[in-house]
Amino acid sequence: MSRICELTGKGRQIGHNVSHANNKTKRVFLPNLQNVTLLSEKLDRSFRFRVSTHGLRSVEHNGGLDNWLLKARDTELSTRALKVKRELKKAVAAA
């Protein structure tokens, strides 16, 4: 399972462990991913996503999943999130 946030696209970063003797060895910084259930008010459904804690704070800051998906760029979103975004656009257009 890839370690990438489904809403923000935030993934792993590469860096170094640096010893006291300034020896550098490669290491990986992983995002803090959580399995969360987010509610869509306009679709009246819940969706499960694997989201970083930073992404979760961003969703809450923007007023929920619906507002976040409508503002987010398609390149950042996972295929599951894109499917939800398309459903959401249809529901907004119909209403």
Side-chain angles (χ1 to χ4, degrees):
M1 191 179 304
S2 64
R3 302 283 294 176
I4 297 175
C5 176
E6 291 188 85
L7 296 181
T8 61
K10 187 179 183 114
R12 66 186 195 144
Q13 292 184 322
I14 306 295
H16 288 100
N17 281 331
V18 180
S19 70
H20 186 67
N22 205 27
N23 297 328
K24 295 177 182 72
T25 56
K26 288 282 191 179
R27 66 156 295 176
V28 176
F29 294 94
L30 296 174
N32 184 7
L33 295 179
Q34 306 294 323
N35 293 316
V36 295
T37 302
L38 297 171
L39 297 173
S40 171
E41 296 167 358
K42 293 176 181 159
L43 295 176
D44 200 32
R45 281 184 55 199
S46 62
F47 298 95
R48 287 183 55 86
F49 289 111
R50 197 152 187 242
V51 183
S52 64
T53 51
H54 176 268
L56 192 57
R57 290 182 68 211
S58 299
V59 169
E60 294 298 321
H61 179 75
N62 281 296
L65 180 64
D66 297 341
N67 290 339
W68 171 262
L69 286 175
L70 292 174
K71 290 180 182 179
R73 284 184 261 145
D74 291 350
T75 55
E76 296 175 344
L77 300 175
S78 68
T79 53
R80 288 176 48 212
L82 278 173
K83 191 181 291 186
V84 174
K85 184 175 180 176
R86 275 188 235 110
E87 285 182 43
L88 191 58
K89 282 185 175 179
K90 286 180 187 175
V92 169

